[in-house]
Amino acid sequence: MIIVLKPRITKKEEAAVIREIRKLGYTPHIMRGVARTVIGAIGDERTHVSLEPLATWPQVESVTPIQKRYKLVSREAHPSDSTVSARGVAIGGRKVQIMAGPCSVENEKQLLQTAVAVKEAGATILRGGAFKPRTSPYEFQGLGEKGLKLLAKARKETGLPVITELLSENHAEMVADYADILQIGTRNAQNFQLLIAAAKTGKPVLLKRGMCMKTEEWLLAGEYILAHGNPGLLFCERGIRTFDTYTRNTLDLAMVPILKSETHLPVVVDPSQGTGKASLVTAMCKGAIAMGADALLIEVHPNPAEAWSDGAQQVTLDGFRRLMEEIQPFITAVGRE
Ligand code: PEP
Ligand code: MN
């Protein structure tokens, strides 16, 4: 059920509604907007007393059932856009945020050189994988905690918040100690225990789309994060498997307006995994911005030819500078910064 409270009610009146929701056996998820507070009450309405009588309370504007299977992530539950903040960088506001950095953290020089260069070019968040989900067990698996330490060092030097992938429940606390945003990769997008562990760290979670995932499945995976008490969710389109092998994946840009209408949460696009080709990244960034993306996740490497992972899709430091210049008119055209 969605309980919308009237504007300008007192804290006491709000608390009374929350108490009643709990008393009837539901879990309240409180979303405070600029004008009013909306409460998503989650519980099985077949086994609990109905919440509909709350509609008669003077401080309540409306009580509406949520028709969709996903509830807390849905636009129905929360009509205005949500923003998610990582160390003061707000994703989902006027500014299109640019997350950039290498696919994998390889060594200090590579990471710091990239971090400084992407910051200079205008990136606002640093990406870098320390735990890498590689198709083959013989490929570079990431530096692990050493990589996380290097990310923390790069953050200290540049001031950029850091996003990195969480691969295992066992590492949730450790990765959350270093990172500002936890990335859940395409291969784990429906690893529900991992999603719960990520949610419980309290850090914002960027949930990539599973490579064979339908829209509803993705939204329901995101629901796990909010249902476990973490409102900081970002959806990231990174391409899906199709019959075509010209590109590594088929980047589904239609997902941006679809997510924008289905959910209130910020939408990120990853044109690097999305195409697998550095030469296509700038064009897809322009498209993503035009579709309404709130942020981009871009792989950048000082020497892509020698990268330890995903060399073909990483742009060079110079390439990234040019990319940033080229996308600016598109950002302005959609009325953003
Ligand atoms: C990555 O960002 O480097 C990565 C492994 O992403 P995905 O899970 O989308 O393949
Ligand atoms: Mn990669």
Side-chain angles (χ1 to χ4, degrees), residues 258-281:
I258 291 170
L259 289 173
K260 283 279 158 196
S261 75
E262 290 299 321
T263 99
H264 53 94
L265 293 154
V267 179
V268 184
V269 171
D270 173 350
S272 306
Q273 330 298 322
T275 60
K277 289 190 168 157
S279 61
L280 296 174
V281 168

Side-chain angles (χ1 to χ4, degrees), residues 103 132 273 299 310 313:
C103 175
K132 295 303 300 176
Q273 330 298 322
E299 289 188 343
D310 288 352
Q313 68 195 33

Side-chain angles (χ1 to χ4, degrees), residues 224-242:
Y224 271 83
I225 304 295
L226 273 72
H228 284 83
N230 186 338
L233 175 63
L234 309 165
F235 284 103
C236 178
E237 165 62 37
R238 50 78 69 203
I240 48 174
R241 280 268 161 96
T242 66

Side-chain angles (χ1 to χ4, degrees), residues 13 39 43 58 73 78 87 95 110 157 161 207 271 316 319 330:
E13 289 170 315
I39 306 173
V73 303
H78 191 283
R87 269 185 198 258
K95 190 165 165 57
Q110 170 244 15
E157 299 240 337
L207 176 61
T316 60
F330 289 79

